[in-house]
Amino acid sequence: MHAPPADTAALPPQQSGAPGRAGPLAAGGPPAAGRSGPPPLWMWALVSGLFLAYATLSLRTHERLLSHSFDLAIFEQAVRSYAEGRLPVSEVKGPGFPVLGDHFSPVLALLAPAHLLFPSARTLLVAQAALIAASVLPLALWARRALGGAAAAVIGLAYGLSWGVANAVGFDFHEWAFAVPLLACSLAALGQDRPRAAALWALPLLLVKEDMGATVAAIGLLIAWRGGPGRRRLGLATAAAGAAWTLLAVLVVLPALNPGGEYFYAGFLGGSGGADGGFAALLHQGTLGLVTPDEKAVTLVLILAPTLFLALRSPLLLVAVPTLLWRGLSDYAPHWGTGYHYSLTAMPVVFAAFVHALERRGTTGPGLRRALAGAAGVCLLLLPGSSLGKLAEAEMWRAEPRIAAAHRMMARIPDGAQVQASDGLVPHLANRTSVSLFGWAASRPDPEWILVDTQVAPHLRWPLSARDEALALARARAAGYRTVAGEQGFVLLGRTPRTG
């Protein structure tokens, strides 16, 4: 937060903040003063560098057996289904579980051709790195036009290294990777008073995930705001399409496709408190419950901190409200925090709002430099604690004999086999076997093979404790499984063929 720069009065009229010159959303701001056109070479270098950092983090994490059945293997099995010409199913979720009944994300079918060429979970990780890195371009191009090349470089780098992006890249693959470039393009178009382009970039979000319809509705309402009749019609139609699709998906499509006949994740939205405490609990969940426990408030602060809270000065920030609202209403603690991928879609919104806030206030000279330096400083301060900070840790690059042993054990399992495996091993088997999670109640029973990592780190052990895992292995041996191999804590069991 800062006062207008002292040298604003010395600017010519077209740069001193004449009202209305930057479009309906930017009333009071300056017109476009920077260069437009294709991305310069340095911008491509920035995007390429971020792509390499994202891909390196994702692939190295996967290689170290630190990716997961939930969610990387689920998405790999879904994309594999599309590549084989079938509707997506995931054995990790349950035998033949229809993925479109869990989350409605048909956009994943776009990865099928790449998966046919490179059938591996790594394909998804590389695609995610490319999609997220590409989202830097529209924001940086807008910042270059509005604020200049130096500002574009700082904003592009601060966004690309922001903790919400970094933590998403560090945790498996998610369909929201498709959302961030669409959001960046839509919001950049809206900020530059191109409502039709904003709507056209926003509408494909409906194919990314069922909750994105609410985000599309928010974009539509912003398009309709402060516009003429044609703009209002476009905005309201976009908003109606987004809202209608989310309601249709949640109330009709997903329950119809889900084996349980319901939208499973509705139970997270104030479910336990509302059921037990009645109206008072529901009222609390929708008011103070949005920022309590404290972790919710901390997350909100950290989402806005990389922009020095200047994003609050732009109406574009309203696009983040639907995502932040369902997270605040959720009873599921990981939805509140800064880990995992849940803040990914907020990052392009807050940085678009940052660019817009600087542009509409006519921030130049020392004021602009202070804002950029502060934003860069906050992002760099938070970077070591994010997933990207792991790239600087020696442990990330240490050769571990256990990894080679794990791959030798997995190589013993034939293609097409039915397998249950430990969490960190499942994503490595999902491209060529029918694999589910060992110890997970919904996993396909009586598999041909069981592969367990008995020496996994305690903080990574899931879903079974060490004691329960030992008991489960003992029960498997008692049921007729024999030990085929054992090495470096990995135990491979094979089912004894039935006779007679």
Side-chain angles (χ1 to χ4, degrees):
M1 299 181 182
H2 58 279
D7 58 346
T8 300
L11 293 175
Q14 68 270 22
Q15 294 181 334
S16 61
R21 295 291 301 276
L25 273 179
R35 293 177 294 172
S36 58
L41 184 60
W42 67 261
M43 204 174 288
W44 287 116
L46 172 61
V47 170
S48 299
L50 290 171
F51 165 72
L52 289 175
Y54 299 158
T56 299
L57 173 63
S58 293
L59 294 174
R60 185 58 185 158
T61 299
H62 179 62
E63 179 62 24
R64 295 178 63 216
L65 309 181
L66 297 177
S67 53
H68 305 277
S69 54
F70 286 71
D71 296 312
L72 179 56
I74 293 173
F75 285 110
E76 207 278 341
Q77 289 175 334
V79 173
R80 178 184 172 188
S81 298
Y82 281 124
E84 294 173 351
R86 300 180 287 114
L87 288 176
V89 297
S90 173
E91 287 288 298
V92 171
K93 294 286 293 184
F97 187 93
V99 173
L100 290 176
D102 187 48
H103 288 301
F104 196 80
S105 304
V107 71
L108 294 173
L110 294 177
L111 296 178
H115 192 275
L116 277 174
L117 294 174
F118 306 101
S120 169
R122 295 178 180 86
T123 299
L124 277 65
L125 298 175
V126 172
Q128 175 172 261
L131 288 165
I132 296 177
S135 70
V136 173
L137 278 176
L139 295 177
L141 282 170
W142 176 23
R144 178 174 177 253
R145 181 198 67 80
L147 305 169
V154 173
I155 290 170
L157 191 61
Y159 163 67
L161 298 178
S162 60
W163 66 265
V165 169
N167 287 349
V169 171
F171 178 60
D172 292 3
F173 168 92
H174 298 89
E175 68 280 89
W176 277 341
F178 285 95
V180 285
L182 292 171
L183 279 170
C185 288
S186 180
L187 294 175
L190 185 56
Q192 296 173 86
D193 198 25
R194 296 164 51 216
R196 186 177 299 275
L200 291 175
W201 281 114
L203 288 172
L205 289 167
L206 301 180
L207 302 177
V208 174
K209 200 174 181 181
E210 66 278 358
D211 65 299
M212 286 285 102
T215 300
V216 172
I219 293 173
L221 292 177
L222 283 179
I223 292 172
W225 184 44
R226 289 187 178 180
R231 183 183 180 121
R232 283 197 296 272
R233 284 194 297 271
L234 173 66
L236 292 176
T238 302
W245 171 243
T246 288
L247 290 174
L248 181 66
V250 169
L251 299 178
V252 179
V253 177
L254 285 160
L257 297 175
N258 188 284
E262 62 180 352
Y263 178 51
F264 174 78
Y265 299 95
F268 289 128
L269 301 181
S272 59
D276 297 338
F279 177 75
L282 287 173
L283 181 63
H284 176 270
Q285 192 73 10
T287 52
L288 290 176
L290 292 173
V291 291
T292 56
D294 292 345
E295 191 176 2
K296 293 182 182 179
V298 170
T299 296
L300 286 173
V301 169
L302 288 175
I303 285 173
L304 295 169
T307 69
L308 304 183
F309 301 93
L310 292 174
L312 289 167
R313 297 180 176 181
S314 168
L316 293 182
L317 189 62
L318 294 173
V319 175
V321 169
T323 296
L324 297 177
L325 186 61
W326 74 252
R327 291 177 66 186
L329 289 171
S330 175
D331 284 336
Y332 182 52
H335 286 161
W336 313 335
T338 57
Y340 304 105
H341 57 292
Y342 297 112
S343 295
L344 175 61
T345 56
M347 292 296 106
V349 179
V350 296
F351 276 91
F354 183 45
V355 175
H356 186 232
L358 294 175
E359 179 184 21
R360 74 197 299 240
R361 285 177 57 84
T363 309
T364 59
L368 179 59
R369 289 194 290 272
R370 285 195 297 270
L372 295 173
V378 171
C379 288
L380 291 175
L381 182 66
L382 297 176
L383 183 61
S386 73
S387 293
L388 276 173
K390 295 177 183 177
L391 291 175
E393 298 176 0
E395 183 181 6
M396 191 73 170
W397 308 103
R398 186 176 297 123
E400 299 181 23
R402 295 193 75 244
I403 293 175
H407 285 283
R408 285 193 295 270
M409 301 287 278
M410 287 187 284
R412 289 174 169 263
I413 300 174
D415 294 352
Q418 291 182 359
V419 189
Q420 284 188 18
S422 294
D423 183 45
L425 303 174
V426 171
H428 294 266
L429 292 164
N431 65 320
R432 62 180 187 86
T433 69
S434 177
V435 63
S436 54
L437 178 61
F438 181 69
W440 185 250
S443 292
R444 185 181 293 276
D446 198 28
E448 298 170 272
W449 300 86
I450 295 175
L451 179 57
V452 178
D453 182 359
T454 64
Q455 293 182 5
V456 67
H459 68 283
L460 297 174
R461 183 174 289 283
W462 180 82
L464 298 178
S465 66
R467 177 179 178 276
D468 289 340
E469 180 181 87
L471 291 173
L473 285 172
R475 286 194 296 269
R477 290 186 174 102
Y481 286 87
R482 60 186 177 84
T483 301
V484 176
E487 184 180 357
Q488 294 280 342
F490 296 98
V491 177
L492 178 64
L493 304 181
R495 189 174 60 198
T496 303
R498 292 185 176 93
T499 60

